[in-house]
Amino acid sequence: MTLFVFNHQPYDGSDATWNALRLAKSLHQKGENIKIFLMSDSVDMARDATKKPDYYEYDLVQMLKELYEAGVPLSVCGTCMT
């Protein structure tokens, strides 16, 4: 089992979150057992109000939703959501 722990702001200008989501998707498609945990600023990816900025090429929120809808377990830090 592979646990992905996200803690960066989703659209922080780096490729860290995008690359991790791509890796998670690839592993899941190969049948690997993965889980995702969002904490700190990354919990914004679980908020409906978070939208992809115009300057950003990839919709990280949509990528996360697709993983969740494909059956990847997703947990979010409750304290961080508050």
Side-chain angles (χ1 to χ4, degrees):
M1 195 265 301
T2 303
L3 173 64
F4 287 84
V5 178
F6 292 84
N7 64 359
H8 283 245
Q9 206 175 4
Y11 299 106
D12 66 354
S14 75
D15 289 340
T17 301
W18 176 67
N19 284 324
L21 288 169
R22 288 180 37 224
L23 178 58
K25 180 180 179 180
S26 178
L27 290 174
H28 179 68
Q29 288 175 336
K30 290 181 180 183
E32 295 289 330
N33 183 17
I34 68 165
K35 294 182 178 183
I36 295 176
F37 181 71
L38 304 179
M39 61 182 289
S40 190
D41 291 335
S42 75
V43 300
D44 286 345
M45 284 194 291
R47 298 182 199 280
D48 288 333
T50 302
K51 304 294 182 212
K52 179 186 85 63
D54 291 337
Y55 64 87
Y56 214 82
E57 187 173 350
Y58 302 101
D59 189 336
L60 304 177
V61 173
Q62 184 59 38
M63 291 174 73
L64 180 66
K65 283 182 182 180
E66 289 170 5
L67 284 168
Y68 179 74
E69 290 168 356
V72 174
L74 171 66
S75 298
V76 180
C77 173
T79 303
C80 300
M81 280 297 283
T82 303

